[in-house]
Amino acid sequence: MIVYYTERNPNSKIAFWSLVRLFNWGYEPIFDSIYNAFSGMLKNGYAGRILNSKLQNSRQISVDQVFPPFNCQSVSGEKLSSHIFSKNKFTLVDFWYSRCGPCRLQFSIMRDLYKQYHDSGFEIIGISIDQIKDKKEWEDVIVKEKLIWKQYWDKNGTECQKFSIKAFPTNFLIDSTGKIINKNISMEELREFLSSHEPSLYNALM
């Protein structure tokens, strides 16, 4: 609807700020079409240039794109390397934080899937956006929830802000080439996906 409206009202500030508000929930590919429909006056203004910059960054984490370098590290100081994707057939990158109820509700299913498919080429990477003051709570949740997969910390969510990852949990399913093949896949969909690809998961290790 907003695309249709913007194409006919390219100077509409109401439509422009509606897009900005929608963007607060994270990037969707349709946002590019909406933005491109605006007049040069809106796109070249101060707010328009900022929005364009955010769209360009966020476009890097859309489906079919290669997952970009992400500046975060583990408790021990290990930096996240893109090479980890090539070591596995599929990798789920899960963004969460310690006080996020919906994030933690998924962990029991993720544990089951990890135990069932990890030896066949499935990996999970957790990236927390916890604030520096909540570091201890983040570490406690990892232990309490038995998160046995790799955990990294995006301190204060700095990198997530850069890529406009604003809703949690957010996840990306990535193949062995580093390409994003799904975004915000549900745990049941993930279970079905891994089950249907189990032979190829096994063969990838042979």
Side-chain angles (χ1 to χ4, degrees):
M1 176 64 79
I2 189 172
V3 177
Y4 179 86
Y5 179 84
T6 305
E7 288 174 344
R8 285 153 183 75
N9 301 274
N11 290 314
S12 173
K13 293 184 178 180
I14 293 176
F16 179 87
W17 290 108
S18 293
L19 175 58
V20 171
R21 286 193 294 272
L22 285 172
F23 199 43
N24 287 334
W25 295 97
Y27 170 82
E28 295 295 338
I30 195 174
F31 293 170
D32 293 311
S33 298
I34 300 171
Y35 178 83
N36 291 333
F38 286 122
S39 67
M41 178 187 70
L42 287 177
K43 288 191 287 189
N44 295 323
Y46 178 74
R49 294 196 303 272
I50 291 177
L51 181 56
N52 182 46
S53 177
K54 290 183 176 181
L55 285 169
Q56 290 184 25
N57 284 335
S58 301
R59 201 175 295 127
Q60 297 180 62
I61 56 169
S62 56
V63 173
D64 291 331
Q65 299 298 311
V66 173
F67 193 80
F70 208 89
N71 184 21
C72 58
Q73 60 184 36
S74 66
V75 176
S76 63
E78 174 193 357
K79 292 186 177 181
L80 176 62
S81 170
S82 59
H83 294 304
I84 195 170
F85 303 130
S86 64
K87 297 178 180 178
N88 304 282
K89 185 65 177 179
F90 300 109
T91 302
L92 183 75
V93 179
D94 175 55
F95 289 91
W96 66 285
Y97 62 96
S98 60
R99 298 184 183 182
C100 172
C103 300
R104 296 179 63 171
L105 281 174
Q106 296 187 130
F107 289 156
S108 61
I109 300 177
M110 292 171 70
R111 281 196 304 271
D112 292 342
L113 294 178
Y114 186 84
K115 291 176 181 178
Q116 184 174 356
Y117 294 106
H118 179 252
D119 289 342
S120 299
F122 172 60
E123 182 61 87
I124 301 177
I125 294 173
I127 301 180
S128 167
I129 64 158
D130 274 291
Q131 301 290 301
I132 291 177
K133 64 181 178 62
D134 295 323
K135 179 183 178 184
K136 180 63 166 55
E137 186 168 356
W138 167 58
E139 294 172 338
D140 289 346
V141 169
I142 292 174
V143 175
K144 182 177 181 179
E145 297 284 359
K146 298 181 176 64
L147 305 185
I148 55 178
W149 50 89
K150 292 180 178 293
Q151 295 293 332
Y152 293 87
W153 185 22
D154 173 20
K155 296 179 183 179
N156 297 331
T158 302
E159 287 291 284
C160 281
Q161 291 176 25
K162 174 181 174 183
F163 292 103
S164 297
I165 301 173
K166 301 178 179 180
F168 300 91
T170 285
N171 67 52
F172 299 88
L173 186 61
I174 299 170
D175 69 12
S176 60
T177 69
K179 186 175 73 173
I180 300 169
I181 59 175
N182 206 323
K183 177 182 178 180
N184 288 333
I185 187 171
S186 72
M187 293 300 101
E188 288 309 311
E189 290 172 333
L190 179 60
R191 187 189 300 277
E192 293 177 7
F193 176 88
L194 294 174
S195 176
S196 67
H197 286 78
E198 189 165 14
S200 64
L201 280 167
Y202 177 78
N203 291 334
L205 297 179
M206 300 300 289

